Amino acid sequence: QVQLVESGGGLVQAGGSLRLSCAASGSTFIIPLMGWYRQAAGKQRELVATIRISSIANVADSVKGRFTISRDNAKNTVYLQMNSLKPEDTAVYYCYALRAQEYWGQGTQVIVSS
């Protein structure tokens, strides 16, 4: 079993930055795939970015060039550096991990005000 705990969300003005962290616990094995999804009010959950053990990353077009995903394999922690935030980035951001099954964090709220 894997537990995911997110941190770093909050309220920021447009153009600002936030860094989200997600620490995985409950297993000593490196998690093959970790990432971030987000869900805005009234919308479907969507992929933000994923990253493999090798640090090969997949980033959604909507955030490409603004968000950077990274990971620390020794800590089983994934990060999302969010720069140039826009109001449309407002959402609950969920940490994601894939090993033998999918795991989800409880989410951290990001609000970008104009």
Side-chain angles (χ1 to χ4, degrees):
Q1 288 292 313
V2 174
Q3 291 79 45
L4 304 175
V5 180
E6 303 108 328
S7 63
L11 175 65
V12 65
Q13 291 188 338
S17 298
L18 286 172
R19 191 189 193 202
L20 305 183
S21 299
C22 173
S25 63
S27 175
T28 60
F29 293 105
I30 296 174
I31 299 171
L33 186 73
M34 300 186 73
W36 295 92
Y37 285 71
R38 68 186 182 185
Q39 187 169 21
K43 300 189 69 176
Q44 297 291 111
R45 189 173 299 187
E46 64 178 356
L47 172 71
V48 178
T50 59
I51 187 166
R52 303 176 186 178
I53 293 172
S54 63
S55 292
I56 294 174
N58 179 37
V59 182
D61 289 341
S62 60
V63 303
K64 191 170 296 183
R66 299 187 297 118
F67 292 10
T68 301
I69 189 169
S70 61
R71 64 183 291 167
D72 184 333
N73 291 332
K75 297 180 179 179
N76 265 341
T77 299
V78 62
Y79 306 93
L80 186 68
Q81 179 66 48
M82 305 185 294
N83 298 326
S84 301
L85 283 161
K86 304 175 180 179
E88 51 262 45
D89 295 319
T90 296
V92 176
Y93 284 71
Y94 295 92
C95 184
Y96 169 84
L98 177 63
R99 197 177 65 185
Q101 65 182 72
E102 292 183 335
Y103 297 92
W104 294 93
Q106 61 186 9
T108 184
Q109 177 74 62
V110 172
I111 300 174
V112 184
S113 65
S114 59

